[in-house]
Amino acid sequence: MTKATPDVISRAGELRDILTEHNYQYYVLDDPRIPDAEYDRLFRELQDLEAKYPEIVTPDSPTRRVGAQGETTFEEVAHRIPMLSLDNAFSEEELRDFDRRVKDRLKTTDDIEYVCEPKLDGLAVSLHYEAGILTRAATRGDGYTGEDITANIRTIPSVPLKLRGDSVPDLVEVRGEVYMPLKGFESLNKRLADRGEKTFVNPRNAAAGSLRQKKPSVTARRPLEMCAYSVALEDESQLPATHWDGLQQVRNWGFRINPEMRLATGVEACLKAYDELMEKRASLPYEIDGIVFKVNSLALQQQLGFVSRAPRWAIAHKFPAQEELTVIEDVEFQVGRTGAITPVARLKPVFVGGVTVSNATLHNMDEIRRLDARIGDTVFVRRAGDVIPQVVKVVTERRPDNARVVELPETCPVCQSDIVQIEGEAVARCSGGLFCPAQRKEAIRHYASRKALDIEGLGDKWIDILVERELVRTVADLYLLKKSDLTGLERMGEKSAENLIKAIDRSRHPVLWKFVYALGIREVGEATAKALASHFGTLEAISEADEEALQSVPDVGPIVAGHIRSFFDQPHNQETIQALRDAGVQWQSEEITAEEKPLKGETWVLTGSLSGMTRDEAKARLEALGAKVAGSVSGKTSCVVAGEAAGSKLAKAEKLGVPVMDEKAFTGFLAAHNTQS
Ligand code: JCF
């Protein structure tokens, strides 16, 4: 084995310093100074050096945070100074009582100066630093003895392994709260749920579970943070005169101090701080369950002393709880704007997160199975911030004998269309699409949107009015609207009514792919609609294709094929499409309405009667191909279609040498141009 040269040793030392500094900038100050990639590169360089020369590794090396070495022993450790808990005030009155007691004891009528600090919802820890190096970390335990969790604590990036600065004491104990920020909590739970593992009820439990890991390498992957809130020195005379200044000292040693921390003089200022923090609660990136008030002067703290297990100089003013127990009385199914079926728990009303909650989402059937939630169960309901209430856990021990398993209904509770659940998808959906009243507005909005049929002026406001007045139930009804239907409505002038009718009228001849897109079939976006249109040519062909045939289209996999099939299998959707046809909507294949229509600039004339279609239909189809259809033949006529019993027009065409097509040729011509039939 090669020995480390002085150059290697000095480079390793330099890397440790650089990495420790950037770590501090990133995790304590929230102010990264170099890109992550650069940090990773330096980190790897140090890792490589340490792997090659194990003798140069130091216990405070940033590489030691990954938790690869050492085991958390969870051995019992005695706290040199007991870790007391805090008394709680649950109301303004109780806080005023606390302030009065403080003043009485101190025999003063002067306002007291307090430090106000958010009460983080995590776990209290005690950290020992000897000559500036982290040597022991312990849980609070019962306040007198805790557990040794040093190896796990070392993995938390905001915990300094070594104190910064020059004024580092021989021995110091720093206390604080280890917690999991909300973002990390949500992504951890998502990761666990995706793997089918048990999730955590709240960030506090997640933090506790993460600190309790036997393997520090697991803790290292959990997004934990620490904020310091107090300091104790062997030699108390070294402490500053106030709690506030003590915290500034702790900050200078490299700890994170809560940025919401502030000073308040007198109980009124404390109540104001409470209101302001409560206001801010929902927007904080971590959970708090109240505010802590501490007498700032250490001399006064000393005079006040302790009662049994709590200091007389501090109190926690609690916020409303964000979790409570209640009972699921029923489960109902709601239909969303896009047809998603969501199970909703009807709860025995409960006061949680500051409001009375009587409903909570259960998300989907997978979630119900994961929770094993049944009607009659007692459950934890959580309402944090502005987030909708959630059922987070079932108390299985309290399950009554008559608890009922929740089942997905077979038909939509709103429109009775089939409910379909595609394999591999958590969400069940109503297949009513264009028909389901719950999805009506969304279906119309999509149909009229710019990328679909682009009905100018038919925005949300209009859609709301038309649907609510029952003037429009499905998109087909749009084409039956008359100006007189609209002019009676408030805020609707003559002119705008006219414009809307015109805009609707202009949408009667869409290209096939736009029409397919406008139907709003799940997961059929523009590209898929185009692919379907060009592959099948007609709507009939698409609507009759089986899943196998659908999957031969580029980009259409089994899931999308399933969505397309179930859309066309719903009689309601077929009826709406027929209603659109009846209302005069005609769609054509993509190619012929693309930039260059094949008959652009041509003038055609129809004469005689056709057996396969009406004259209007023939006219529409010629126009769809870009031709003008005229009533009389001239030298400029491009072609005459001559049906049965054609008269003078046919004769004139022959005289002028204008090309003539009989019905058979015409039908063949149309088929070759792939128009709708
Ligand atoms: O943030 C907390 N959960 C917290 C807990 C903050 C504090 O200043 C505390 C505490 C528990 C005890 N102070 C004491 C004395």
Side-chain angles (χ1 to χ4, degrees), residues 423-633:
E423 222 180 277
E425 280 199 1
V427 180
R429 290 179 189 279
C430 163
S431 56
L434 299 173
F435 170 83
C436 181
Q439 300 172 66
R440 213 166 260 169
K441 286 183 185 174
E442 182 62 18
I444 297 168
R445 193 197 57 71
H446 177 77
Y447 184 87
S449 67
R450 169 113 15 110
K451 288 192 212 156
L453 296 204
D454 194 15
I455 304 181
E456 218 186 306
L458 188 57
D460 290 351
K461 188 191 90 183
W462 269 112
I463 294 171
D464 283 351
I465 294 173
L466 294 174
V467 171
E468 274 150 31
R469 299 293 169 90
E470 295 184 10
L471 287 164
V472 171
R473 291 182 341 114
T474 73
V475 288
D477 295 335
L478 289 171
Y479 298 95
L480 306 178
L481 284 173
K482 296 182 298 294
K483 201 170 117 186
S484 58
D485 292 329
L486 303 180
T487 44
L489 303 171
E490 72 243 48
R491 286 177 296 151
M492 179 50 119
E494 183 90 5
K495 190 78 203 151
S496 46
E498 203 170 295
N499 286 342
L500 183 56
I501 298 280
K502 273 191 191 148
I504 292 170
D505 219 39
R506 278 196 302 273
S507 72
R508 276 181 210 268
H509 303 286
V511 257
L512 179 60
W513 78 261
K514 287 223 177 211
F515 185 75
V516 171
Y517 172 70
L519 291 173
I521 305 167
R522 269 206 70 70
E523 289 186 41
V524 174
E526 286 176 286
T528 307
K530 277 182 191 165
L532 287 167
S534 75
H535 185 270
F536 290 103
T538 66
L539 189 70
E540 285 63 29
I542 300 172
S543 73
E544 283 160 17
D546 61 21
E547 294 192 23
E548 199 184 324
L550 288 166
Q551 284 180 60
S552 59
V553 176
D555 282 354
V556 176
I559 290 180
V560 179
H563 286 313
I564 298 168
R565 233 359 312 132
S566 67
F567 180 90
F568 288 109
D569 283 343
Q570 291 305 305
H572 304 311
N573 291 335
Q574 291 290 358
E575 282 160 22
T576 304
I577 290 168
Q578 188 53 48
L580 282 165
R581 264 200 192 94
D582 295 345
V585 178
Q586 286 189 312
W587 45 92
Q588 321 123 31
S589 90
E590 188 181 357
E591 297 106 89
I592 50 167
T593 36
E595 280 309 290
E596 275 307 306
K597 296 186 182 186
L599 304 185
K600 198 172 165 192
E602 296 192 7
T603 305
W604 286 49
V605 173
L606 295 164
T607 180
S609 63
L610 300 169
S611 60
M613 66 184 86
T614 65
R615 182 181 283 249
D616 275 352
E617 214 175 310
K619 181 169 178 249
R621 292 175 65 174
L622 282 169
E623 283 171 348
L625 293 169
K628 256 177 43 191
V629 177
S632 61
V633 178

Side-chain angles (χ1 to χ4, degrees), residues 194-396:
D194 286 350
R195 282 187 286 176
E197 289 176 36
K198 264 184 89 165
T199 53
F200 291 103
V201 165
N202 55 36
R204 204 197 100 82
N205 287 11
S210 302
L211 271 190
R212 227 183 283 116
Q213 292 295 325
K214 279 258 155 43
K215 284 191 188 156
S217 56
V218 175
T219 307
R221 276 180 267 120
R222 298 288 172 84
L224 296 172
E225 280 183 11
M226 186 206 150
C227 264
Y229 59 67
S230 82
V231 52
L233 285 171
E234 197 81 315
D235 176 7
E236 284 195 8
S237 67
Q238 278 184 286
L239 280 175
T242 63
H243 179 56
W244 181 265
D245 288 344
L247 292 172
Q248 307 316 311
Q249 175 63 262
V250 172
R251 186 208 308 276
N252 292 336
W253 285 332
F255 285 91
R256 192 184 246 280
I257 302 293
N258 194 291
E260 310 302 328
M261 191 105 56
R262 70 179 68 182
L263 288 166
T265 303
V267 73
E268 299 306 327
C270 288
L271 287 165
K272 188 159 168 273
Y274 175 90
D275 287 343
E276 284 169 2
L277 188 60
M278 179 98 123
E279 210 38 47
K280 236 180 159 175
R281 186 187 196 187
S283 64
L284 293 173
Y286 43 79
E287 265 193 359
I288 59 177
D289 61 352
I291 183 166
V292 182
F293 298 110
K294 289 180 178 172
V295 172
N296 192 23
S297 155
L298 295 195
L300 295 184
Q301 283 190 8
Q302 207 137 47
Q303 272 189 57
L304 288 160
F306 300 87
V307 261
S308 61
R309 316 198 52 191
R312 283 206 192 90
W313 42 263
I315 197 156
H317 192 182
K318 303 282 271 194
F319 290 149
Q322 296 187 317
E323 269 149 38
E324 290 292 353
L325 284 183
T326 189
V327 174
I328 298 184
E329 293 181 329
D330 198 6
V331 173
E332 285 173 17
F333 290 84
Q334 287 181 346
V335 197
R337 291 186 322 144
T338 59
I341 305 281
T342 307
V344 176
R346 301 284 175 229
L347 305 169
K348 185 157 167 267
V350 61
F351 190 74
V352 57
V355 298
T356 300
V357 166
S358 41
N359 302 307
T361 179
L362 288 164
H363 300 286
N364 54 54
M365 294 308 289
D366 284 356
E367 176 75 356
I368 292 179
R369 276 187 288 273
R370 193 183 68 74
L371 290 165
D372 187 25
R374 306 187 191 176
I375 297 162
D377 269 340
T378 296
V379 293
F380 278 76
V381 174
R382 180 175 151 84
R383 180 183 177 272
D386 301 328
V387 180
I388 51 170
Q390 319 265 330
V391 171
V392 287
K393 189 186 160 88
V394 171
V395 186
T396 329

Side-chain angles (χ1 to χ4, degrees), residues 84 86 117-120 177 229 292 294:
L84 300 173
L86 292 169
E117 144 197 21
K119 185 166 183 292
L120 294 162
E177 197 85 356
Y229 59 67
V292 182
K294 289 180 178 172

Side-chain angles (χ1 to χ4, degrees), residues 136-158:
R136 196 196 82 183
T139 61
R140 177 174 176 278
D142 64 2
Y144 299 96
T145 33
E147 288 176 324
D148 187 319
I149 51 164
T150 313
N152 284 350
I153 284 291
R154 293 173 59 86
T155 67
I156 302 173
S158 46

